[in-house]
């Protein structure tokens, strides 16, 4: 039976379960026994794929980082107009408050070295990609980076508000499109 479980559960299954746990309560919520129960398997299956819990957390962080980079690249690749790319990026980021649960949990865990390093790389990449879009709209380097920082701060702020008062974000769900347009207009004014 154990051999059968090893063959049916892949490292991705454990990584996905770890990401779900991180979304629910940060990296501290990644517990091998609890994940094994959720996956309907044993700890032995876990150790077949991972050396220890830290290796699983690192794999989950790497998956989150890779997925984030791929999604930004894929979204941007299909839109030639930089203003439309910004609108699409903002709409994707702000339009799905539930998607930020992993990030919000990781921000709370930001003092852990592996988490801090991953957050640093993801943040730098997001800021650079956003600043590039502002630059393509004709803003100078300093202005493009400042506007990217404001946009990213608004993004993180929305998730902070959502954590403090989930109803505040949920109730305004229909107005998020207006929020995106207002933010885009504000940040693209010359």
């Amino acid at each position: 039976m154990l051999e059968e479980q090893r063959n049916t559960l892949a490292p991705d299954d454990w990584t996905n379960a770890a990401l779900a746990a991180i979304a629910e309560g940060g990296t501290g919520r990644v517990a091998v026994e609890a994940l094994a129960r959720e996956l309907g398997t044993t700890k032995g299956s876990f150790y077949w794929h991972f050396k220890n819990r830290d290796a699983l957390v690192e794999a989950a962080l790497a998956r989150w980082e890779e997925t984030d980079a791929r999604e930004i690249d894929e979204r941007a690749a299909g839109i030639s107009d930089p203003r439309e790319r910004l609108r699409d990026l903002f709409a994707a980021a702000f339009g799905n408050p539930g998607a930020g649960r992993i990030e919000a949990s990781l921000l709370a865990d930001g003092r852990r070295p592996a988490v801090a390093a991953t957050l640093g790389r993801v943040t730098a990449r997001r800021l650079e990609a956003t600043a590039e879009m502002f630059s393509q709209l004709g803003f100078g380097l300093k202005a493009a980076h400042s506007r990217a920082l404001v946009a990213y701060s608004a993004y993180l702020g929305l998730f902070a508000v959502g954590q403090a008062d989930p109803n505040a974000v949920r109730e305004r769900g229909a107005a998020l499109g207006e929020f995106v347009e207002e933010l885009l207009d504000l940040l693209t004014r010359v």
Side-chain angles (χ1 to χ4, degrees):
M1 176 73 168
L2 184 58
E3 187 63 36
E4 193 175 303
Q5 290 173 335
R6 287 184 196 151
N7 291 333
T8 59
L9 281 180
D12 283 351
D13 297 314
W14 286 97
T15 303
N16 291 337
L19 282 170
I22 289 169
E24 292 301 316
T27 57
R29 185 125 147 80
V30 178
V32 175
E33 285 186 35
L35 293 178
R37 275 192 306 276
E38 288 176 26
L39 292 169
T41 191
T42 65
K43 289 191 322 183
S45 170
F46 167 80
Y47 289 109
W48 182 258
H49 300 294
F50 295 95
K51 178 180 174 186
N52 54 35
R53 178 193 171 278
D54 289 343
L56 175 60
V57 169
E58 288 175 16
L61 292 173
R63 163 77 56 75
W64 177 71
E65 183 176 0
E66 291 165 12
T67 301
D68 183 78
R70 186 180 62 251
E71 286 174 358
I72 289 173
D73 290 344
E74 287 174 358
R75 292 192 79 84
I79 305 170
S80 60
D81 178 39
R83 184 178 172 90
E84 289 305 312
R85 274 199 311 275
L86 276 169
R87 176 179 281 112
D88 184 72
L89 177 67
F90 290 0
F94 293 106
N96 187 0
R101 290 178 36 218
I102 292 173
E103 185 158 4
S105 293
L106 291 175
L107 286 167
D109 283 352
R111 291 190 175 153
R112 296 178 187 220
V115 173
T118 301
L119 280 171
R121 288 188 304 272
V122 168
T123 299
R125 186 175 198 302
R126 288 174 174 178
L127 287 171
E128 195 56 42
T130 307
E132 177 62 25
M133 291 177 209
F134 282 113
S135 179
Q136 291 172 358
L137 283 171
F139 292 100
L141 186 62
K142 184 177 178 182
H145 282 278
S146 292
R147 289 163 194 262
L149 184 58
V150 170
Y152 196 62
S153 297
Y155 166 74
L156 294 178
L158 182 68
F159 292 114
V161 170
Q163 281 188 307
D165 182 5
N167 291 329
V169 174
R170 228 176 290 136
E171 289 169 4
R172 302 201 192 316
L176 282 174
E178 292 172 20
F179 176 78
V180 165
E181 287 303 317
E182 288 175 11
L183 184 64
L184 184 62
D185 288 344
L186 178 68
L187 292 175
T188 55
R189 281 188 201 144
V190 181

